[in-house]
Amino acid sequence: MVVEKLPALLEEIRACRLCEDHLSLGPNPVLRAAASARLLIVGQAPGTKVHATSIPWNDPSGDRLREWLSIDRYTFYDESQIAIIPMGFCYPGRGKGGDLPPRPECAVTWHKRLLQQLPHLQLTLLVGQYAQRHYLPHWYGNITENVRHYRDALPAGYFPLPHPSPRNTLWLRRRPWFEEEVVPELQKYVKKILKVR
């Protein structure tokens, strides 16, 4: 059996052109990982700002996510602690109601190989429906119920979250229990796992 090295794998992924013909802005795989990471964030796919900067969660969604986690940008981008591996590594393009779904090729082609190189993970945050549909052992029918039942996912090492996009502000406003009850629990887990400044 060939033992794969994470730096070589990341280089291979960043050179990936598998869905090039389907990407309106062209390929630019955006992800971050180090073998020592203890927390994994699995989101959806880069938006245009992330595509342009090659920095994951470098947008208002990322600002809100960092607020939920109660960590600063320095900690958030510390690869030695946090891996960021979206369901789709490249910006998928624009659809009628916003960005298109992440390209399906990424997760099936790369996720298993990446996870094999992250032996110290203690918790995986599943941000949004695509990550949850792919990874959650139990699907409760919608994001609200997945998040409400987040404790059911913890034994498998997962913590489901809604997407922190400004588009979800109404969802958050209608469900005050998320920020009142779930976010403080999330922060406890993150603080226990990470060396927070």
Side-chain angles (χ1 to χ4, degrees):
M1 183 174 118
V2 176
V3 178
E4 192 160 34
K5 298 288 185 192
L6 182 57
L9 176 58
L10 291 172
E11 196 175 310
E12 186 182 348
I13 292 169
R14 289 180 178 129
C16 178
R17 298 297 177 264
L18 194 61
C19 343
E20 186 168 16
D21 293 343
H22 303 283
L23 303 172
S24 59
L25 298 183
N28 179 26
V30 178
L31 72 160
R32 298 170 71 93
S36 57
R38 295 185 300 281
L39 180 69
L40 171 61
I41 300 171
V42 181
Q44 188 163 304
T48 53
K49 187 171 182 186
V50 171
H51 175 86
T53 62
S54 297
I55 302 170
W57 295 101
N58 185 32
D59 54 21
S61 296
D63 294 338
R64 179 178 271 165
L65 180 59
R66 285 183 282 277
E67 282 178 27
W68 289 349
L69 302 177
S70 190
I71 59 176
D72 59 19
R73 284 180 70 92
Y74 178 87
T75 304
F76 187 81
Y77 291 116
D78 179 358
E79 290 180 1
S80 70
Q81 298 197 81
I82 299 177
I84 301 173
I85 299 172
M87 291 301 295
F89 300 140
C90 296
Y91 172 65
R94 189 96 178 135
K96 286 183 182 176
D99 290 346
L100 291 169
R103 295 292 312 169
E105 295 89 343
C106 288
V108 297
T109 304
W110 301 112
H111 276 216
K112 185 176 180 182
R113 288 172 63 188
L114 279 163
L115 292 177
Q116 289 170 343
Q117 302 303 311
L118 301 172
H120 302 291
L121 291 180
Q122 296 177 33
L123 186 65
T124 298
L125 309 183
L126 301 175
V127 184
Q129 68 162 317
Y130 297 102
Q132 290 169 27
R133 284 185 185 276
H134 188 82
Y135 281 106
L136 267 188
H138 308 290
W139 175 258
Y140 286 101
N142 58 54
I143 294 287
T144 299
E145 293 308 307
N146 290 341
V147 173
R148 193 190 305 276
H149 293 95
Y150 74 92
R151 285 186 181 90
D152 295 348
L154 287 171
Y158 300 119
F159 200 119
L161 296 171
H163 198 285
S165 167
R167 290 173 155 276
N168 281 344
T169 299
L170 184 59
W171 186 97
L172 294 166
R173 197 176 298 139
R174 289 177 172 168
R175 295 159 184 87
W177 52 265
F178 172 72
E179 290 186 327
E180 291 167 5
E181 301 165 25
V182 179
V183 167
E185 287 299 306
L186 172 66
Q187 291 173 357
K188 280 184 205 170
Y189 279 94
V190 169
K191 188 174 182 182
K192 189 163 46 171
I193 292 168
L194 301 182
K195 296 172 188 165
V196 180
R197 292 176 71 187

